[in-house]
Amino acid sequence: MSRHQINDVVVHREHWRDVDDDRPRLECGVCGVWGVQDASAVVALGLHALQHRGQEACGIASVTKTRFHTERHMGLVGDAFSGADLVTRMPGRAAVGHTRYSTAGGSFLRNIQPMFADLDSGGIAIAHNGNLTNFLALRNELVDQGSIFQSTSDSEVILHLIARSRKSRIVDRFIDAMMQIEGGYALVAQTRKKMIGARDPLGIRPLVLGQLGDAWVLASETCALDMIGATFVRDVENGEVVVIDEDGLRSIKPFPDKVARPCLFEYVYFSRPDSVVNGKAVYEVRKAMGAQLSREHGVEADVVVPVPDSGVPAALGYAQESGIPFEMGIIRSHYLGRTFIQPSQGVRELGVRMKHSPNRGVLAGKRVILIDDSIVRGTTSVKLVRAVRAAGAKEVHLRSASPPIMWPDFYGIDMPERSQLMAANLSLEEMRARLEVDSLGFLSVDGLYQAMGAGPRDPVNPQFTDHYFTGDYPTRLLDREIEENGRDVSTRQLSLLVSA
């Protein structure tokens, strides 16, 4: 969802966000288990593995034969769900969990998932990764019909649609709701008798299926399966609904067949390098991106240095392809929390050295190729370049292992508006000058497709979701279209209620 569409939310998110942090913000992570002892503890372990997908908040809902138990907390999974009494607080053989970075709805306690509703057919808890591109249109329609919203999250729309469905069975009501939502999403829902997983018709957001003995697991990435000792079974297919209950697993395909278009940013940045996403090992893909980047933008240099941690695999691939030595010329601190926000510009200038410390012994007197996974606004990049030069580097050549980011995202990635994207507003030479580097190079779109093993990009039917590079959005953007046609979908939206 566009960040400017929900005005009260933008204020509060920008209040805590470090303005010098130039990373694309992660979406969310979901994990659910069915049929295992101490399910809440197993889900908590899965969420630990998915912590990189959202560090703002987390929640778990477990279920017994008679009732649901839910907890939702601001902060990290380890702080919220590490107590020895977790399984006492949250008993049951089935549970669903969520780790969150807000892309729609803001950082309020009332927006933390899983969200729960008590329906006439019983309770349901739902965890959602992604964004609905018709959220505000649906929300306004539901409010007109008398629905009362308790949050500003697009996930609550799904609960209302399920509740208002005229279908008799919960699975049919869930599918009825899916037929009305648009965008990119992966869903895991839990009732007292079933766990339901679903993926959007294009498979933009990932979801995998695993087994833990006789139990079933659904998760955003395979690294969560590895963490809990589960065996990977397969990806949930695009447009598929899987239903798990005491009779086992069944698959439903409610949508017309479409060719999948998974999100490329899962491979560029979001997914953990030890995950396998849509059958492709993320680590190997990132190394292939670096190798292709070397072929496209080679330069004479003494050392290849990654921007840690996400730039490491691409830098390895670049170094192996080019024959230039790989070195850890920048050391990243893993002990700074998001809450460390520097109070003044003068102190903020030192912030990059707290997060990324130049290794003078590697950099001094060297011609350095600096490899990053992507460049968004360029604010972090220029500070890193200055720090590398201050450590004695003779030359700095910056390379991005992804193409220039030209367009914003509406499917679950918190990315700036186009006016704030460096590549959308400056020429290559202007970017090079602003970043204060000797040369600048980006992986081409076709080069990224080659690294994915997909050959050149098919402009008629692209193999992946790649709008942030091409402007080719894979779905209708209804909320955006309404807004651009002069009808402001956000005027009635979301309450002025502010969480303390």
Side-chain angles (χ1 to χ4, degrees), residues 331 333 348-358 386-387 390:
I331 308 302
S333 171
R348 278 202 301 267
E349 291 295 327
L350 302 176
V352 69
R353 299 191 183 189
M354 299 184 69
K355 297 175 184 176
H356 297 98
S357 177
R386 288 172 181 170

Side-chain angles (χ1 to χ4, degrees), residues 94-263:
V96 61
H98 188 268
T99 184
R100 169 182 175 79
Y101 174 80
S102 60
T103 52
S107 52
F108 303 139
L109 187 61
R110 58 196 166 118
N111 291 329
I112 302 174
Q113 300 181 41
M115 290 194 166
F116 175 81
D118 214 351
L119 311 180
D120 55 359
S121 57
I124 184 171
I126 190 166
H128 168 213
N129 167 217
N131 256 25
L132 307 185
T133 55
N134 63 339
F135 158 52
L136 291 172
L138 283 173
R139 189 183 192 281
N140 287 344
E141 180 181 333
L142 288 164
V143 169
D144 284 341
Q145 296 171 3
S147 293
I148 299 172
F149 280 77
Q150 300 296 321
S151 77
T152 56
S153 170
D154 57 351
S155 308
E156 191 178 0
V157 163
I158 302 170
L159 282 178
H160 280 278
L161 293 173
I162 294 171
R164 296 175 70 87
S165 173
R166 299 298 184 184
K167 305 289 185 180
S168 57
R169 298 189 308 164
I170 188 64
V171 173
D172 294 330
R173 296 171 80 164
F174 183 89
I175 293 171
D176 195 15
M178 285 184 63
M179 291 296 185
Q180 299 174 68
I181 61 178
E182 300 174 11
Y185 56 84
L187 303 171
V188 179
Q190 183 73 65
T191 72
R192 285 192 299 109
K193 297 182 179 180
K194 301 179 189 298
M195 183 168 71
I196 307 170
R199 204 170 170 196
D200 65 81
L202 292 175
I204 297 173
R205 299 270 70 87
L207 189 66
V208 298
L209 176 69
Q211 277 192 294
L212 182 61
D214 294 330
W216 292 96
V217 184
L218 289 165
S220 292
E221 294 183 35
T222 58
C223 63
L225 305 182
D226 297 336
M227 175 69 78
I228 65 177
T231 302
F232 171 74
V233 174
R234 63 177 177 87
D235 289 286
V236 175
E237 296 179 15
N238 56 302
E240 182 183 15
V241 177
V242 292
V243 182
I244 300 164
D245 56 23
E246 296 297 340
D247 296 324
L249 180 144
R250 61 190 173 101
S251 170
I252 303 171
K253 300 285 188 67
F255 295 98
D257 286 341
K258 289 186 178 182
V259 177
R261 285 185 64 178
C263 173

Side-chain angles (χ1 to χ4, degrees), residues 290-303:
Q292 182 66 24
L293 183 61
S294 174
R295 291 189 284 269
E296 294 183 1
H297 295 286
V299 64
E300 290 188 4
D302 302 308
V303 64

Side-chain angles (χ1 to χ4, degrees), residues 11 16 29 34 41 59 64 66 78 83-84 209 228 255 290 367 375 410 462:
V11 170
W16 56 256
W34 174 271
T64 63
T66 58
L209 176 69
I228 65 177
F255 295 98
R367 297 170 297 174
I375 299 173
F410 301 95

